[in-house]
Amino acid sequence: MGNEVSRARALTVSSFLANFAVQTYGMITTPNMKDIAEANHFAFSPNPWFIAAFFSGQVMVQLAWIKQLFQNDPPGGYQAIGGIPEVTTKESERGWKVALSYAPVYALGNFCIAGWLFFWLREDFKASQLLVTINTVAQLLAVAALPPLTPSSSYLLKFTHIVAKTFAGIGVLDFIDNGGVALRYRAPPSSLVQAATYAFFPLAAAASKPMFGSVLLYDIVAVAVGQMGVFGAGEWPTRLGWTALATAGVVGVKAVPTLKQYFGK
């Protein structure tokens, strides 16, 4: 397992640093990513400050996860000199197995998002859409493959869940945002697209665990706020707001059993 651990550590750190460097460049260059977003504001464009806030929190969560990968070694694996031995348990073994499986998907996501920004800044939205599609599909498949969390799950497994679900959740927003821009799809969308949007988010939240559902809720709120004040949008922003409220209700109901499991009745 030693080679797998080394590979995972190298992939996570290198891809994180690459994406962070590119995103930082995207914020300080002229025009920056926000300038491009404001110049290409279409039917599914979120408020850009929601993206910035999410990215900040995502960076902290990912650093905490990467720290877990370096702080300890897997049970039965090699132990760094002077390190603190970790108690060998089934939960820690499961946590490492999942983390090592997810590491390549995480790295793929970082490189895709870095590439997305390269094309976004050049307003090549079809190329950027290809990269966000690859990332979103990969992250959603990874989330679907995650084993369920339990109160006894290791910190590594819990952080892997958080990293994967936040990456996948914001990937959904990237997909619809960039897609709307690539198609130059102005608000309000057609009745069919509106109906599909109003149904998708509550239903997707109902089919998901509360953590992922919460990120979907964040997505729809970001779009609703982003559409406020858009000329000609009509009732689109208001209806998105009602969709966000419905999604919040679903997430709240889904969260109750989880809270009972962890904190008791």
Side-chain angles (χ1 to χ4, degrees):
M1 185 179 280
N3 289 336
E4 292 181 82
V5 174
S6 298
R7 188 182 308 117
R9 288 169 175 171
L11 280 172
T12 54
V13 172
S14 60
S15 65
F16 173 87
L17 291 176
N19 188 31
F20 186 81
V22 171
Q23 298 300 320
T24 302
Y25 169 78
M27 289 185 280
I28 63 176
T29 191
T30 303
N32 60 35
M33 66 174 81
K34 183 173 178 289
D35 295 331
I36 301 297
E38 291 176 344
N40 296 275
H41 199 83
F42 290 92
F44 289 94
S45 297
N47 182 296
W49 292 111
F50 276 75
I51 301 298
F54 194 94
F55 177 71
S56 299
Q58 193 178 27
V59 164
M60 301 307 295
V61 168
Q62 291 180 6
L63 284 174
W65 178 64
I66 292 171
K67 180 183 177 182
Q68 287 285 319
L69 291 176
F70 279 85
Q71 196 170 36
N72 301 299
D73 290 314
Y78 60 86
Q79 178 64 41
I81 297 174
I84 301 174
E86 181 178 336
V87 177
T88 303
T89 65
K90 289 184 179 180
E91 286 298 333
S92 61
E93 290 174 356
R94 185 171 72 138
W96 272 101
K97 181 179 179 181
V98 174
L100 295 177
S101 297
Y102 177 66
V105 181
Y106 170 78
L108 173 65
N110 274 328
F111 291 130
C112 281
I113 297 304
W116 162 83
L117 184 57
F118 175 85
F119 292 113
W120 178 264
L121 292 175
R122 286 154 182 76
E123 299 190 61
D124 186 349
F125 301 121
K126 291 182 180 178
S128 62
Q129 182 64 27
L130 174 62
L131 289 173
V132 297
T133 300
I134 292 171
N135 174 59
T136 302
V137 171
Q139 300 301 328
L140 288 174
L141 290 174
V143 167
L146 289 173
L149 287 175
T150 66
S152 60
S153 293
S154 66
Y155 282 113
L156 181 57
L157 182 57
K158 291 174 182 177
F159 272 112
T160 304
H161 266 257
I162 297 171
V163 170
K165 290 175 179 178
T166 52
F167 217 149
I170 204 65
V172 172
L173 180 57
D174 291 339
F175 179 81
I176 62 174
D177 174 20
N178 198 108
V181 174
L183 295 172
R184 306 192 71 79
Y185 196 52
R186 298 194 179 278
S190 68
S191 297
L192 179 61
V193 172
Q194 287 193 50
T197 304
Y198 305 147
F200 170 76
F201 283 92
L203 291 176
S208 307
K209 297 295 184 181
M211 188 186 301
F212 184 66
S214 298
V215 186
L216 292 177
L217 173 60
Y218 189 93
D219 292 348
I220 191 63
V221 170
V223 176
V225 175
Q227 294 300 302
M228 290 179 180
V230 172
F231 179 77
E235 295 297 313
W236 172 236
T238 303
R239 291 170 180 169
L240 287 174
W242 284 112
T243 304
L245 186 62
T247 305
V250 172
V251 172
V253 170
K254 292 274 292 184
V256 171
T258 302
L259 294 174
K260 286 183 177 180
Q261 180 184 13
Y262 280 83
F263 302 107
K265 297 182 180 180

